[in-house]
Amino acid sequence: MITIFNRKELFLTYDMKKQSEIRTILQNHKIDYHVNVKNVYSRSPLGGAPRGRTETPGVDLSRTYEYKIYVRKEDYERAVYLLKSIR
């Protein structure tokens, strides 16, 4: 089980296809992972103003979601090695 105490951030991307590729590689090599997904244009969790709006001209809608991928600290080096093939 991956917890906040035993994990390390492996990758941050806004690309859904890239995060899918990374997850597939980790799954194929039996490395546990956790993905945090955040809508960067959603309202603030404290109820303040929105961070942005999808109808705003010039907003890149392909970058709406932020994907943070975490692995256990002891799997980090191995995962980095495996991901060098896709960068």
Side-chain angles (χ1 to χ4, degrees):
M1 179 178 190
I2 296 179
T3 68
I4 195 167
F5 302 109
N6 70 355
R7 72 182 185 186
K8 188 168 183 178
E9 184 179 318
L10 175 67
F11 205 85
L12 171 91
T13 185
Y14 294 91
D15 185 344
M16 180 191 257
K17 184 179 176 192
K18 177 77 77 175
Q19 68 89 21
S20 178
E21 290 175 32
I22 292 168
R23 291 174 62 192
T24 299
I25 290 171
L26 295 174
Q27 285 174 345
N28 289 343
H29 290 89
K30 298 185 180 16
I31 296 176
D32 287 335
Y33 63 88
H34 173 78
V35 180
N36 237 359
V37 181
K38 179 173 82 172
N39 182 338
V40 295
Y41 295 113
S42 68
R43 288 194 162 274
S44 167
L46 299 177
R51 294 185 189 116
R53 296 194 176 161
T54 55
E55 69 269 7
T56 304
V59 171
D60 183 3
L61 294 178
S62 68
R63 297 179 59 90
T64 302
Y65 292 96
E66 173 185 88
Y67 303 93
K68 284 187 184 179
I69 302 173
Y70 298 92
V71 295
R72 285 191 311 248
K73 290 177 184 178
E74 57 266 16
D75 293 331
Y76 179 79
E77 294 298 326
R78 183 170 163 235
V80 168
Y81 176 78
L82 292 169
L83 295 186
K84 285 184 181 181
S85 65
I86 67 163
R87 289 190 183 182

